[in-house]
Amino acid sequence: MKVLIIGSGGREHAMAWQCAKFDSVEKVFVAPGNAGTALEKKLINIDIGVEAIDELVEFAKNKKIDLTIVGPEAPLVIGIVDYFQANGLTIFGPTKAASQLEGSKSFCKDFLSRNKIPTATYKIFDKSAPAIEYIKNQSLPIVIKTDGLAAGKGVIIANTQKQAIKAINDMLEENYFGVAGNKIVIEEFLVGEELSFIAMVDENNVLPMATSQDHKARDNNDKGPNTGGMGAYSPVTSVNNEILQNIMNTIIYPTVDKMKEQGMTYTGFLYAGLMINNKGKAKVLEYNCRLGDPETQPILLRLKSNLANLCLLAANNKLNDANIKWDDRAALGVVLAADGYPGDYKKDQQITLPDDTENTKIFHAGTKLVNNKILSNGGRVLCATALGKDVKSAKDNAYKLVNKIDWQGCYYRDDIGFKAIKPNTED
Ligand code: AMP
Ligand code: GLY
C-alpha cells in the first residue's frame, strides 16, 4: 500500500519509518518531511505544507494513496479529515467537530464537566476584570490557559497573584497569543504523576497503546520554561493494570461514548494528558487529537505490529480485528534542541550523525538536507531513541547515542526518565 504522512516533526519521522519497515507498505510520502525522512529508504518528501488541504487531496488522488495519517493537530482542527473523506479518500484522524477536544480548551473542559469525566475545577473568561477578581479567591499555584492552539506555550502555571494577573493580561489584553488567547481557562493546579495515555479509536472500538511519559520543562528536574517536550520513555511501569483499567472506565470509554452520543463521533488517536494522584486516581489535564511528540518516538520503537495496517483497520472501523504487539523492552528518547529553544535560536548548523542500529534510532524533527548535508532547521531538532531491558538501560543507551552526535550548539536534558529510575539504581 501507499501511505501519506502529514507533518515534519520527530513524530512524523517515526510514523513514516515504522510504516516503511513492512513489506506490505510500498512507499511512504511525507508532506513536507525533514532531512530524516528524506534520507530514509522507501520514504519520499513532498513539498506541500500541512495546512494546504486542497493540494494534499489532489496529491492523494493523483498518487492513489491508500491511507493518509495526520501527525499534527493544526490540519485536524481545520477539518482535513472531513475534506479527505468527502473526496472518497481513506484517512485516519478525528473530524473537525471531534478535534475540538484539542482545538478549544473551553470546549474540552465543558465537555468533561458536563459528562462528569474527572478534570481540574475551572472557569472560563473572555474579559480580564472578572478573571482577575476570580483568582483573588483561589489558592496558588493556579493554571491559566489560552482557549485555542498555542504550540504548547499557552499554559502558564502562576505561583503568585502577580504572575497570574500578568498571564491574564498577556492573553486577554495584550493579544500575546493572537485569537487563541481571546478566551482563557483558569483551572485548579493538580499534583501527582503525569502520564500520556494514547488510544486508537474507531467508530466502534478503542485500542489502548503503550503508556509513556513526556518531560515538558526545558531543564533538568522539570525546571525552566515549558516546551513541546524534551524527551519521553515508554512504558510507565508505575502505572499498574488497576490504574489503567480505571483510566479506561472513568475517562477513555466515557469520552468516546459521550462524543458519539453528542453527535461528534471520535475516530483517530486520542491522547489523554493525565495527572495521577497518590491514590492512583487520574484526572484529565488536556486532550490531544493526535499522537504525542516526542512520546511517539519511543512508543513506535517498541511497536512490533505494522502501524499502517492498524490505522487502515481503524479507518475501516475494524480495530477489533487488530492484534497489537509490543517489544517488552523499554524505550527512551532524548530530544536535542537548538541552544536557546524555546526562545530564539540559531538555524543552519551542520550535524553529523552515527548510523542507526537494531536498538537505536535517531529521529529528525527540525532538520533539512542541503547538498547532502544535514542542517538544523528548528527548535527541537533530533530525538535520540534507544531500547533497553528497562528504563534505566534504555536511558544509558540513549545517552550513549547522544554522545555520538556531532553538533555544536545543541542543548538537551540529561535526566530523561528520572522519575522511573530509583536513585539507588543510578550510576
Ligand atoms: P496542557 O497543554 O494543558 O497539557 O499543559 C501543559 C503542561 O502544563 C502539562 O503537561 C502539565 O505539566 C501542566 N499543567 C497543565 N494543566 C495543569 C494543572 N491543572 N495542574 C498542574 N499542571 C498542569
Ligand atoms: N508531548 C506533548 C504533546 O505532544 O502535546
Side-chain angles (χ1 to χ4, degrees), residues 268-285:
F269 295 104
L270 179 64
Y271 165 144
L274 303 172
M275 188 70 89
I276 302 181
N277 72 11
N278 56 12
K279 298 198 173 83
K281 294 278 180 295
K283 287 188 178 176
V284 179
L285 288 174

Side-chain angles (χ1 to χ4, degrees), residues 47-279:
D47 190 16
I48 306 179
V50 300
E51 293 185 49
I53 296 182
D54 284 327
E55 281 177 71
L56 290 166
V57 162
E58 257 335 283
F59 178 85
K61 278 187 178 168
N62 287 340
K63 290 282 181 200
K64 301 198 164 35
I65 298 292
D66 300 290
L67 169 73
T68 298
I69 319 175
V70 188
E73 61 278 14
L76 293 165
V77 169
I78 60 174
I80 192 169
V81 168
D82 313 56
Y83 208 76
F84 266 62
Q85 285 174 346
N87 280 277
L89 294 161
T90 302
I91 186 165
F92 183 56
T95 60
K96 182 174 178 175
S99 304
Q100 290 180 92
L101 273 185
E102 175 167 5
S104 166
K105 293 220 191 271
S106 59
F107 171 91
C108 179
K109 295 294 290 190
D110 286 345
F111 170 83
L112 294 170
S113 115
R114 185 167 73 237
N115 296 298
K116 302 191 170 43
I117 298 167
T119 189
T121 56
Y122 73 105
K123 230 170 144 62
I124 297 167
F125 296 93
D126 58 7
K127 300 258 177 333
S128 57
I132 291 168
E133 207 40 51
Y134 174 74
I135 54 132
K136 285 187 182 152
N137 299 315
Q138 302 300 311
S139 48
L140 293 166
I142 189 143
V143 187
I144 327 256
K145 301 182 175 185
T146 59
D147 179 55
L149 298 178
K153 293 176 189 150
V155 175
I156 307 290
I157 296 170
N159 290 306
T160 63
Q161 289 223 349
K162 200 171 156 202
Q163 285 171 355
I165 292 169
K166 182 175 178 333
I168 291 168
N169 282 330
D170 282 349
M171 291 174 189
L172 290 174
E173 300 295 332
E174 304 296 326
N175 219 17
Y176 201 76
F177 295 92
V179 287
N182 286 353
K183 212 195 278 182
I184 62 172
V185 173
I186 301 187
E187 72 179 28
E188 167 202 11
F189 179 79
L190 298 176
V191 269
E193 186 82 15
E194 272 191 59
L195 176 74
S196 302
F197 187 85
I198 305 174
M200 295 180 75
V201 182
D202 71 21
E203 287 179 14
N204 309 312
N205 308 285
V206 178
L207 179 68
M209 299 186 77
T211 53
S212 59
Q213 189 174 56
D214 185 13
H215 298 61
K216 292 227 169 80
R218 187 192 55 194
D219 305 330
N220 286 350
N221 276 315
D222 289 340
K223 300 279 188 291
N226 241 344
T227 69
M230 294 299 289
Y233 65 91
S234 169
V236 182
T237 45
S238 61
V239 178
N240 61 31
N241 276 339
E242 194 187 334
I243 299 176
L244 287 178
Q245 207 47 55
N246 208 275
I247 292 170
M248 292 301 287
N249 292 336
T250 63
I251 294 175
I252 305 295
Y253 289 134
T255 297
V256 170
D257 291 347
K258 294 292 175 184
M259 286 293 280
K260 193 175 196 173
E261 218 174 277
Q262 291 160 27
M264 297 169 285
T265 301
Y266 195 98
T267 56
F269 295 104
L270 179 64
Y271 165 144
L274 303 172
M275 188 70 89
I276 302 181
N277 72 11
N278 56 12
K279 298 198 173 83

